[in-house]
Amino acid sequence: MSTTTLPTSTPGTPAGEPGDRSPRATSAGGRTGTASVDDARIGLRANLRHIGALVRRNALQIKQDPESMFDVLLMPIIFTLLFVYVFGGSVGASLGGSRDEYVNYVVPGLMAMMGMNIAMAVGTGVNDDFRKGVMDRFRTMPIARSSVLIAKIVVEMGRMLVATAILLGMGFLLGLEIKSSVFHLFAAIGLSTVFGASLMWIFILLGLTMKTAQAVQGAAMLVLMPLQFGSSIFAPPSTMPGWLQSFTDYNPLSNLADAARSLINGQPVGHSVWLTLAWSAGITLISMPLAVARFRKKS
């Protein structure tokens, strides 16, 4: 498989940058890249360069393995068709309309679901990289530990945007109407992307903790299923029993689905947008340091 290597050192390259093989970049134990143990030793410019090189490496992996995009390309189509034609008639009627009314209800909700499902792939990818020894190679390079994880998140955010574009394309084919403005549509996409990126840190931490990719998937599904179906993504909470409505009210996926739905349908957003941003910030602030610390310890 073709991969992208970080640039080798050139005369004048300071120690701690990619490709430096000087004794200053070698620890007493013979492992290179002591600067990679401490992200603070690497400047912002060098860190961004490392992230860019690693993003290109991950993008080349997708080019070499197009099958890794099947979930992004097919999942939005399958889910949209299934939920619109299986539940559209009954749930659409409960909304006071028909299947066409349900399209405008479920497609914004599926934007939240896409982000969560794609975020799970980051955890399995990190786990797989450790199993294949890819991280052993990164360990010998004087790069910031966080740059490896951030590069993965950048690539997965790109995959998430592709999935969202296909989802919206299917929605338009089935009768989705933007009842507000293009600006509000982009705001809904951006909100879903920000929340999905925050979830990736949780799945990265899970991928670094579990022993196998299968274990990561199994644990992730135990989290995904209750959050997805115990939310307002597929049906209004008013049709649910009281105890489930209470769970739905505090479910961050419900806040995201309601915010995206309100933005696209031109309805008052209330506090749903701010609650989604607060959930995103809280999840990132808690899980990101834990994931980076776990990555440093493991690598």
Side-chain angles (χ1 to χ4, degrees), residues 225-232 240 244 247-249 251 254:
M225 297 299 286
L227 286 177
Q228 288 178 351
F229 289 96
S231 70
S232 61
M240 303 176 186
L244 187 54
F247 175 79
T248 302
D249 290 339
N251 188 340
S254 292

Side-chain angles (χ1 to χ4, degrees), residues 5 155 163 250 287:
T5 58
V155 172
Y250 293 98
S287 58

Side-chain angles (χ1 to χ4, degrees), residues 9 11 20 23 67 77 90 100 103 144 211 259:
S9 62
D20 183 24
E67 294 179 358
I77 298 174
S90 57
D100 294 337
V103 171
K211 292 184 178 180

Side-chain angles (χ1 to χ4, degrees), residues 157 160 188-199 276-277 280-281 284:
M157 287 175 65
M160 190 185 305
I189 295 172
L191 196 64
S192 301
T193 305
V194 168
F195 184 76
S198 69
L199 293 179
T276 301
L277 291 174
S280 301
T284 302

Side-chain angles (χ1 to χ4, degrees), residues 4-132:
T4 300
T5 58
L6 297 178
T8 58
S9 62
T10 57
T13 301
E17 291 196 1
D20 183 24
R21 295 294 181 264
S22 66
R24 289 172 295 177
T26 306
S27 65
R31 286 174 58 183
T32 60
T34 54
S36 63
V37 177
D38 186 2
D39 291 7
R41 295 184 185 180
I42 298 180
L44 176 62
R45 185 175 178 181
N47 208 333
L48 291 175
R49 188 169 64 251
H50 301 165
I51 293 172
L54 291 168
V55 166
R56 184 166 181 264
R57 173 225 172 228
N58 292 337
L60 286 174
Q61 280 189 317
I62 295 176
K63 182 179 179 180
Q64 293 293 329
D65 183 20
E67 294 179 358
S68 63
M69 289 291 290
F70 279 1
D71 58 337
V72 171
L73 300 175
L74 298 179
M75 188 167 56
I77 298 174
I78 294 172
F79 281 171
T80 305
L81 292 175
L82 278 177
F83 285 105
V84 168
Y85 287 105
V86 173
F87 300 110
S90 57
V91 179
S94 69
L95 293 171
S98 61
R99 183 175 286 109
D100 294 337
E101 185 74 19
Y102 185 64
V103 171
N104 267 66
Y105 182 91
V106 74
V107 169
L110 287 175
M111 291 170 62
M113 183 177 173
M114 290 297 105
M116 197 167 194
N117 285 330
I118 291 174
M120 181 176 65
V122 185
T124 57
V126 169
N127 187 282
D128 200 45
D129 280 347
F130 270 101
R131 184 179 59 84
K132 292 180 178 178

